[in-house]
Amino acid sequence: MVYGGALEISPDRNALYYADYGLSPSSMYRFNVATTTASLVWESPHGPHGSNGQDLTLSHDGTFLSYATGSGQGNYAIAKFRASDMAVLGTFNTGAYPQEIAFSPDDQVAYAVHEPGKIDLFSTKTFLPLGNFASGGEVTELEVDASGKYLFASYAAPYGSGFQGIRIIDTGRAVPEPSSGLMTALGGVLLTCLARRSRRE
C-alpha cells in the first residue's frame, strides 16, 4: 500500500527505504535501486514495528536506521535497525508516543522526541540515555548540522495550525562554526523541515 510516509536513500544510492505514516500496523520497506528497475528486497512483518508511523531516519554512514512510531517497537521504544538485513540491534527507550529521531553527524548520538517540552539524547552504541534538552513546545522535526554543534528543532503552531518556527540548540559536541556557516545551515534545515511537513500533508 502506498500511503503518506518518508523516504531515505543509502549513501551509495543503491538502497531506498520507505516507511508509512499514520497506519496501523506500521510498515517499512527496503528496495534495491542499483539498476533502473527497482525491486523490493525486504518488507517488515505484520505488526511488530508498531502503529502510527512518525519519522524515518537513516544514519549518515548508511549502516543503520530508525523508524519512530506512535506505539513504538516494543513498549514505546525506537528500534535501531541494521541496514544490511533489517535486524533490530537495540532500542532507544524514549517513553510513550515516540515522534522524531535524528542522529549526530558521527552517528554516535540519537536525539529523540516523545512528548512536548524536551528532546532526549541516547548513545547509539550502548542505547543508554545521555540526558535531555528543554525544548519548549511540540517538536515536529529534528535535524543536526554537519558540524554536530547545532541541533535544529522545528515547531508546529498550536492546534495543528501550521509551521511555527525553528529553535537552535547548542549540543556542546563540536567547535562552533562561523555565523555565516550557521545561517547557511539554518536555511538548509528550514527547507528540509518545510519539505518534510508538506510531504506529510
Side-chain angles (χ1 to χ4, degrees):
M1 176 182 290
V2 177
Y3 195 74
L7 295 168
E8 290 280 358
I9 194 164
S10 61
D12 62 9
R13 300 297 192 264
N14 288 333
L16 181 69
Y17 304 89
Y18 164 69
D20 59 40
Y21 287 171
L23 292 179
S24 180
S26 296
S27 297
M28 185 165 51
Y29 307 83
R30 181 179 184 226
F31 297 89
N32 181 349
V33 292
T35 66
T36 55
T37 302
S39 59
L40 177 65
V41 295
W42 182 86
E43 178 180 348
S44 59
H46 189 78
H49 294 163
S51 60
N52 192 21
Q54 300 288 315
D55 192 29
L56 177 68
T57 302
L58 180 67
S59 64
H60 295 79
D61 63 7
T63 61
F64 64 88
L65 67 159
S66 286
Y67 180 26
T69 64
S71 62
Q73 287 104 30
N75 195 26
Y76 293 125
I78 302 176
K80 174 184 172 181
F81 296 91
R82 185 166 55 207
S84 60
D85 59 4
M86 304 305 289
V88 174
L89 301 177
T91 57
F92 308 111
N93 297 313
T94 61
Y97 313 124
Q99 301 171 34
E100 299 294 328
I101 187 163
F103 302 124
S104 59
D106 59 7
D107 294 319
Q108 299 297 307
V109 177
Y111 301 91
V113 173
H114 77 100
E115 63 181 353
K118 71 173 183 176
I119 300 169
D120 295 309
L121 285 67
F122 297 89
S123 165
T124 60
K125 299 295 185 183
T126 66
F127 304 98
L128 294 175
L130 300 175
N132 59 72
F133 296 130
S135 63
E138 182 178 356
V139 176
T140 57
E141 294 290 348
L142 289 175
E143 193 77 26
V144 188
D145 82 319
S147 74
K149 172 69 174 176
Y150 301 108
L151 174 65
F152 297 86
S154 172
Y155 288 82
Y159 311 110
S161 56
F163 174 74
Q164 185 178 46
I166 292 176
R167 179 171 295 178
I168 305 169
I169 299 169
D170 187 339
T171 66
R173 298 197 71 242
V175 177
E177 295 181 332
S179 58
S180 59
L182 172 60
M183 294 310 295
T184 299
L186 176 58
V189 170
L190 176 58
L191 290 174
T192 299
C193 291
L194 290 175
R196 286 182 176 177
R197 185 166 185 84
S198 64
R199 186 169 64 233
R200 288 183 176 183
E201 297 172 348

